[in-house]
Amino acid sequence: MEEKNISACPLNCWDTCGFTVTVEDDTVVKVEGNKQHPVTKGHICSRGRMLETRTNSPLRITKPLKKIAGNFEEITWKQALDEIAEKLISIKENDGTTAVLHSHDYSNNGLLKNLDYRFFNCYGGVTEVVGSLCWGAGIEAQIWDFGNSAAHAPEDIFKSKHVVVWGRNAASTNIHLFSNLIEAKKKGIHVTVIDPLYHQTAKLADTYIAVRPGMDGLLAIGVIKELKKMNALAFDFIKKYTYGYEEFEEYVDEIEMAEITEQTSVDEETIKKLAYQYSHGPTATFLGLGLQRYANGGHTIRLIDALVALSGNVGIEGGGANYGHLPVGQSFDVSNLLLENRKTASRTFTRMNQAEKILSEHEPPIKMAFVSRGNPLTQLPDTNRVEKAFASIDTVVVIDQFMTDTAGLADYVLPCTTVFEEEDIYYASMYHSYVNYGPKVVPPKGEAKSDLWIWRELAKRLGFGEDFAFSEEEFLKMGLQSLEKKGITLERIKAEGFVKLPVPDVPWSDFTFKTPTGKYEFTTTLPVKEGEEPALRFTYPLESVKSSKRKNYPYHLLSKHPARSNHSQNYHILNDHRVVVEISEKIAKERNLADSDEVIIWNERGEVSGQIKIMKKSHDDTINIDEGRWKKLGGTVNVLTSSGRSEIGLGGIQYDCLVDIKKSVIAQEQNNS
Ligand code: SF4
């Protein structure tokens, strides 16, 4: 018999869609959008729909696996958990708990997914990865500027006169913003897209600006200079509510407009038009994540924030520097779940450079890696080194649903449930402020177990079973404790399916900021780490027009999110082996390349082969290869990217990447024969 259930998308995505899931005979048969959801309104993307395929796929791992003499063999859960627990006990006794690395990311969200920290804290504290491949520099930047990273409610866009989408391909990664952009245009709101890539969102725009990769901050300075010239700065706001403006103004005055136009590839006329739009607001700015994946990424976000602030677009309806939306996640009592006080030892590696650290840290050396909610062999930068590092570890345990690149390298693979086979609540600190309920609607496939079940069983074997002796419902209630006083209970979330969290629709409307001075800060007064510049500055990316590397590697490589796969999650289901190398028309001409030509792209870190697709209108020196592709399905772009970290915050710098490209004569001949 067919039944329909309310559910939610768990993927690491801006939109956190509400689902309606059709179940027949204990099998998910269809995933659709929940039309009642106030933000996502029944509209979901193919990545969400493919969760049905992921759940039912014959490629699912359904039993625990152990690698014996180079091959995986099925074993019982008892054997897997007993052996892993035994190794954890032995490592604790002989090397200390920090000889265990917990290498994780955010492939599937949900409040209960945070319980992995609880497990490792109770074990005694392991080596944790910190920082973000995704948005770390920008989050730190907004904390310096505003004291937090907070976005306007989605519908606030309709109060804008102008909208600037700066480096966010909403058509692919934030589909409900894209729908709102279509509506906004119909209402006569002017939409500008600034991006090196001429993507689907750029095609929608009234104005498209092809900025040189990594130069967005310099462009923001150009617009600020123009606003000054027009005498159009928000002087009242600056005087009453900001700190450090004079110093920043002096700095802006020192930069010549000629340098800005040359390095950004944006002409003065276009900069003037942007200044007009910012001064005739309200103007909403939607910042993407790619533009801060450079060494200078934090300052880039800070400079765009400064433009939004100086033009009077902070704290007003229809305005905003919309990047992250941390108050959503901050609404929950996640700390209740973690038991931080149980940790007696700790060590951290940055997420980006965990491979170098695995290879170089000897006090203690990493003896075991536990990988959950991630596929580091595909997603971490500088893949060749990552592979070497993980291969050097005595025991690698991977919790996953499929045999990813990382799982393939593991000693134990523990099969876990999908979103439809477990209960949780879902939210994202990115776009809207609704929390969604996701019940268990089908039984797990084979012997797959939830992450929580795995932590519980291991905890029992390690002597701290009582710390996990709580049901899913009890853990969820722990995380909802402070919201209950505001009427947001688990019962209500279950009954209604989605509930709006108590988060302001227009952040900073009282002009009181969460910085140490209570003001918007152009120069941060927060304590900074060694090497961090507290004043607002533009610096060139590490690999840019200014770097010596450019002589050998003249083109900028970007690696945007794929449209049909949340990072690496769907390539095996799509059975897609073709690496698509998107290049500008200028590069095609310079290297004599045509659509479908086979090429090699390389730099000092590695090389990738693929097939050419020429992009119209994109920035002249730009190449894109979508991230997420598995090694066995053509190879990951991260073979080429850098494991460095951003100047401020702990952000990845994968877009700070110069490469060269040439026709692959051998591949071409093979294709022709
Ligand atoms: S991936 Fe994003 S847009 Fe797609 S269904 Fe999930 S939350 Fe919605």
Side-chain angles (χ1 to χ4, degrees), residues 48-288:
R49 277 190 294 274
M50 264 189 273
L51 288 165
E52 178 264 309
T53 318
R54 278 183 66 90
T55 300
N56 296 322
S57 171
L59 300 173
R60 281 275 298 273
I61 302 167
T62 55
K63 288 193 169 170
L65 302 174
K66 180 182 180 181
K67 197 177 273 161
I68 300 169
N71 296 312
F72 281 115
E73 291 185 14
E74 289 179 355
I75 56 172
T76 63
W77 270 107
K78 181 172 181 322
Q79 184 187 343
L81 295 166
D82 285 351
E83 288 181 11
I84 293 165
E86 205 177 296
K87 284 176 195 288
L88 283 165
I89 291 166
S90 159
I91 291 170
K92 188 172 184 172
E93 281 170 8
N94 298 316
D95 306 277
T97 55
T98 54
V100 175
L101 170 70
H102 178 210
S103 177
H104 69 287
D105 220 299
Y106 298 97
S107 64
N108 277 283
N109 290 320
L111 189 62
L112 298 182
K113 294 292 181 204
N114 293 295
L115 291 165
D116 49 3
Y117 286 103
R118 183 183 185 96
F119 174 80
F120 289 110
N121 287 341
C122 292
Y123 171 63
V126 295
T127 299
E128 288 284 357
V129 290
V130 294
S132 168
L133 298 172
C134 200
W135 67 349
I139 290 292
E140 183 75 0
Q142 292 218 313
I143 290 170
W144 284 20
D145 297 341
F146 300 98
N148 204 359
S149 181
H152 288 228
E155 60 280 7
D156 188 64
I157 192 174
F158 301 115
K159 295 183 176 144
S160 310
K161 277 200 187 128
H162 297 277
V163 173
V164 177
V165 183
W166 205 319
R168 191 188 300 185
N169 182 12
S172 174
T173 59
N174 187 187
I175 60 171
H176 299 91
L177 169 61
F178 188 67
S179 308
N180 283 349
L181 289 171
I182 294 171
E183 279 309 300
K185 270 196 69 169
K186 284 185 194 153
K187 290 178 194 287
I189 298 167
H190 185 275
V191 175
T192 299
V193 169
I194 305 172
D195 206 301
L197 300 174
Y198 185 63
H199 44 52
Q200 283 302 107
T201 315
K203 284 178 191 160
L204 172 90
D206 297 293
T207 306
Y208 166 62
I209 301 171
V211 64
R212 180 185 293 282
M215 299 299 165
D216 307 82
L218 197 55
L219 178 57
I221 292 176
V223 185
I224 292 167
K225 282 178 84 70
E226 199 53 45
L227 285 170
K228 272 192 73 188
K229 215 154 98 186
M230 291 160 61
N231 202 23
L233 294 177
F235 291 110
D236 199 39
F237 173 82
I238 295 168
K239 203 168 150 209
K240 285 192 194 147
Y241 305 118
T242 73
Y243 172 85
Y245 174 65
E246 291 75 15
E247 188 187 355
F248 178 57
E249 186 181 34
E250 274 174 34
Y251 173 69
V252 166
D253 289 345
E254 283 166 17
I255 300 175
E256 298 293 334
M257 192 57 105
E259 183 185 354
I260 294 170
T261 53
E262 187 190 337
Q263 303 302 348
T264 60
S265 313
V266 180
D267 61 52
E268 209 168 331
E269 205 44 48
T270 305
I271 291 173
K272 275 186 190 155
K273 282 184 191 153
L274 260 178
Y276 175 86
Q277 286 161 16
Y278 272 100
S279 59
H280 288 73
T283 299
T285 306
F286 293 88
L287 297 118

Side-chain angles (χ1 to χ4, degrees), residues 522-541:
F522 292 99
T523 297
T524 188
T525 58
L526 285 166
V528 296
K529 296 184 202 78
E530 200 187 328
E532 287 181 336
E533 169 59 62
L536 190 44
R537 292 286 179 268
F538 173 76
T539 54
Y540 281 91

Side-chain angles (χ1 to χ4, degrees), residues 1-8 18-35 420 437-442 494 497:
M1 209 183 73
E2 185 181 285
E3 68 179 48
K4 288 194 186 286
N5 302 273
I6 276 186
S7 183
F19 284 166
T20 302
V21 179
T22 308
V23 173
E24 219 176 295
D25 299 331
D26 277 347
T27 304
V28 173
V29 293
K30 199 186 236 180
V31 178
E32 298 167 287
N34 177 0
K35 293 194 176 78
F420 306 126
Y437 180 58
K440 177 176 171 178
V441 296
V442 289
K494 276 186 183 186

